[in-house]
């Protein structure tokens, strides 16, 4: 009775918690300390097979109180494998020791050590860079860490600066377009100002204008000349002039004169239509330059006024040197030969003598010259129009004083 009581007390003591395997591999034994150390059987099975006290020593005694169990548990904790390679190496070493093969033991131990070292090297990831191809693969942004040569850097910087300092092309094109269009617009507007009954009245009533030697009075000229001017500006056909008759019943204009006036009407209407189109383009260029280019309208009109002055002065010099030749060449450009020559007693010559065309040319040139000069003055690139501040102007003057000895 006295001997069984302590045994029951020892058997009732709780067993220690085993060390769980953290690898999560269900194919391997979860507890390395359960591996048999000899004969392939546990101590419990051996004692339980033939000895009557096996139950007492194998199952009755707690594992925590047995020294050999404590050592095996400590060894199991210290030799706990960290990967599958560790576990397989440990199993091979245990099997070789269990079979009692002394030759296989060292080799298995060597293989186990090799397996452990290989596993350790592969699990570390830093010892051998060739063990894992992931770390040898170049990153997509690895080229960004490579600095290009100095020549390439300087070339790129130069291109960047030139692109930043370069002016847009479209505003320059609009300025050139406005400068080219402006002289033609002024010329067409001047022609339109001359092609009016007001200019006829000024011509027929001015002193020194030659009279008609065939009987037309100033009132007759004003009436018949107004019909001719109106025909050039309306949409009527040739009958507008062909059906006109004089007081005696004769036709006012002959067939050749009506045909020439029809040709003149075609040229005049085409010119005015082109002028309207050019005026529209000029307005588009002005609106674009006002939004996209500071001072672009001023520069375009300034250049256009200079071009107009050059053209009008050149044409005026040619007309002054030889008016008749200038007048003849002008008609040859727009009309067929023989369709614009008439006799002195024809109505067109009596209404519009040579002096009339000389005065018309002078009037057109004067209007264009005046408009171009006014434009030139208004668009002259002064410091204020160029956007130079007064403080900068005073600073420049002070700097000049300082530079002077």
């Amino acid at each position: 009775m006295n001997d069984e009581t302590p045994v029951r007390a020892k058997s009732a003591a709780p067993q220690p918690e085993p060390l769980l395997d953290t690898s999560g591999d269900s194919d391997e034994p979860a507890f390395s300390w359960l591996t048999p150390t000899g004969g392939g059987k546990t101590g419990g099975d051996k004692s339980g097979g033939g000895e009557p006290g096996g139950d007492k020593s194998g199952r009755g005694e707690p594992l925590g109180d047995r020294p050999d169990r404590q050592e095996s548990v400590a060894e199991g904790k210290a030799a706990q494998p960290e990967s599958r390679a560790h576990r397989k190496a440990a199993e091979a070493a245990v099997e070789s020791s269990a079979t009692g093969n002394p030759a296989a033991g060292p080799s298995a131990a060597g293989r186990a050590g090799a397996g452990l070292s290989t596993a350790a090297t592969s699990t570390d990831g830093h010892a051998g860079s060739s063990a894992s191809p992931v770390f040898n693969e170049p990153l997509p942004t690895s080229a960004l860490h490579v600095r290009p040569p100095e020549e390439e850097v300087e070339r790129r910087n130069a291109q960047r600066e030139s692109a930043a300092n370069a002016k847009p092309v479209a505003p320059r094109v609009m300025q050139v377009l406005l400068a080219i269009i402006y002289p033609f617009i002024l010329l067409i507007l001047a022609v339109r100002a001359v092609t009016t009954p007001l200019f006829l009245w000024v011509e027929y009533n001015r002193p020194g204008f030659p009279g008609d030697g065939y009987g037309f009075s100033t009132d007759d000229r004003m009436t018949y000349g107004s019909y001719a001017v109106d025909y050039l500006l309306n949409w009527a056909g040739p009958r507008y002039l062909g059906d006109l008759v004089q007081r005696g019943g004769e036709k006012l204009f002959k067939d050749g004169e009506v045909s020439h006036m029809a040709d003149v009407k075609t040229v005049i209407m085409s010119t005015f239509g082109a002028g309207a189109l050019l005026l529209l383009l000029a307005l588009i260029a002005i609106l674009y330059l006002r939004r996209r280019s500071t001072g672009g309208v001023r520069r375009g009109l300034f250049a256009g006024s200079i071009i107009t002055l050059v053209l009008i002065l050149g044409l005026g010099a040619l007309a002054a040197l030889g008016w008749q030749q200038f007048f003849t060449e002008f008609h040859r450009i727009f009309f067929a030969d023989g369709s614009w020559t008439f006799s002195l007693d024809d109505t067109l010559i009596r209404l519009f003598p040579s002096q009339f065309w000389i005065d018309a040319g002078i009037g057109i040139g004067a209007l264009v010259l005046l408009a171009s000069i006014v434009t030139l003055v208004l668009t002259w690139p002064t410091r204020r129009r160029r956007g130079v501040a007064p403080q900068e102007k005073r600073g420049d003057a002070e700097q000049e004083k300082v530079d002077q000895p």
Side-chain angles (χ1 to χ4, degrees):
M1 294 296 292
N2 294 331
D3 295 336
E4 292 179 359
T5 302
V7 173
R8 290 178 183 177
K10 290 182 179 179
S11 62
Q15 296 182 358
E17 292 291 335
L19 179 63
L20 298 180
D21 184 26
T22 58
S23 62
D25 191 357
S26 59
D27 295 336
E28 302 295 336
F31 308 101
S32 61
W33 55 273
L34 292 177
T35 303
T37 57
K41 294 182 181 181
T42 58
D45 293 339
K46 182 178 180 179
S47 59
E51 296 180 1
D55 189 19
K56 176 181 177 181
S57 61
R59 291 188 297 267
E61 184 179 359
L63 295 177
D65 296 337
R66 297 179 60 182
D68 56 344
R69 294 299 184 183
Q70 290 179 359
E71 293 178 359
S72 63
V73 169
E75 292 177 357
K77 290 182 179 180
Q80 178 66 22
E82 296 179 359
S83 62
R84 182 176 295 181
H86 288 76
R87 290 192 298 272
K88 288 185 177 181
E91 290 177 1
V94 170
E95 289 178 359
S96 61
S97 61
T99 55
N101 189 1
S107 61
R111 287 195 301 270
L116 291 176
S117 61
T118 304
T121 304
S122 61
T123 51
D124 289 340
H126 298 285
S129 59
S130 60
S132 179
V134 177
F135 298 99
N136 289 333
E137 182 179 0
L139 297 177
T141 58
S142 60
L144 299 178
H145 300 282
V146 179
R147 181 174 177 83
E150 294 296 334
E151 295 79 3
E152 183 68 17
V153 173
E154 293 178 358
R155 186 182 65 82
R156 292 180 182 179
N157 292 336
Q159 291 180 352
R160 190 181 298 108
E161 291 179 1
S162 62
N165 297 329
K167 295 182 180 179
V169 179
R172 292 188 176 184
V173 173
M174 288 297 178
Q175 290 181 19
V176 173
L177 181 65
L178 182 60
I180 295 175
I181 288 175
Y182 189 67
F184 294 98
I185 293 176
L186 291 183
L187 184 61
I188 294 172
L189 291 177
V191 172
R192 180 62 182 88
V194 170
T195 314
T196 57
L198 177 61
F199 182 76
L200 290 179
W201 183 88
V202 172
E203 280 294 298
Y204 293 148
N205 292 277
R206 78 170 181 83
F209 190 80
D212 179 32
Y214 296 93
F216 280 167
S217 63
T218 302
D219 186 61
D220 293 338
R221 279 183 165 181
M222 189 66 196
T223 302
Y224 300 148
S226 297
Y227 274 103
V229 172
D230 292 341
Y231 171 71
L232 296 177
L233 300 177
N234 60 27
W235 297 96
R239 290 182 55 187
Y240 188 85
L241 296 179
D243 293 343
L244 294 177
V245 295
Q246 300 182 19
R247 294 176 183 178
E250 305 91 8
K251 282 187 175 181
L252 181 62
F253 297 99
K254 298 178 181 179
D255 294 340
E257 294 175 306
V258 174
S259 177
H260 177 64
M261 289 300 293
D263 295 339
V264 173
K265 181 175 184 175
T266 302
V267 174
I268 290 294
M269 296 298 287
S270 301
T271 302
F272 290 165
L277 180 60
L278 293 177
L279 184 61
L280 179 61
L281 292 177
L283 291 177
I284 293 175
I286 289 173
L287 293 177
Y288 179 84
L289 292 174
R290 284 178 62 88
R291 292 186 176 182
R292 299 298 181 88
S293 177
T294 303
V297 177
R298 177 185 56 79
R299 290 189 291 268
L301 294 178
F302 180 77
S305 62
I306 294 177
I307 296 174
T308 305
L309 286 174
V310 173
L311 290 177
I312 202 63
L313 292 177
L315 293 176
L318 292 177
L321 293 176
W323 168 255
Q324 193 62 37
Q325 185 67 25
F326 179 82
F327 187 78
T328 302
E329 296 298 331
F330 174 80
H331 278 74
R332 284 180 179 177
I333 295 174
F334 297 100
F335 309 109
D337 293 338
S339 64
W340 50 274
T341 56
F342 306 98
S343 60
L344 295 177
D345 60 345
D346 289 340
T347 303
L348 288 179
I349 301 301
R350 295 166 65 184
L351 293 176
F352 309 108
S354 180
Q355 187 63 44
F356 176 86
W357 298 112
I358 293 175
D359 295 342
I362 293 173
I364 293 173
L367 291 175
V368 173
L369 185 63
L370 178 63
S372 60
I373 291 175
V374 172
T375 306
L376 187 68
V377 172
L378 294 178
T379 59
W380 190 271
T382 60
R383 298 180 67 89
R384 182 180 60 82
R385 290 170 183 166
R386 286 182 298 170
V388 179
Q391 295 181 356
E392 296 181 1
K393 183 176 180 181
R394 291 195 299 267
D396 295 341
E398 294 177 357
Q399 185 65 28
E400 292 178 358
K401 294 180 180 179
V402 172
D403 295 339
Q404 290 180 358

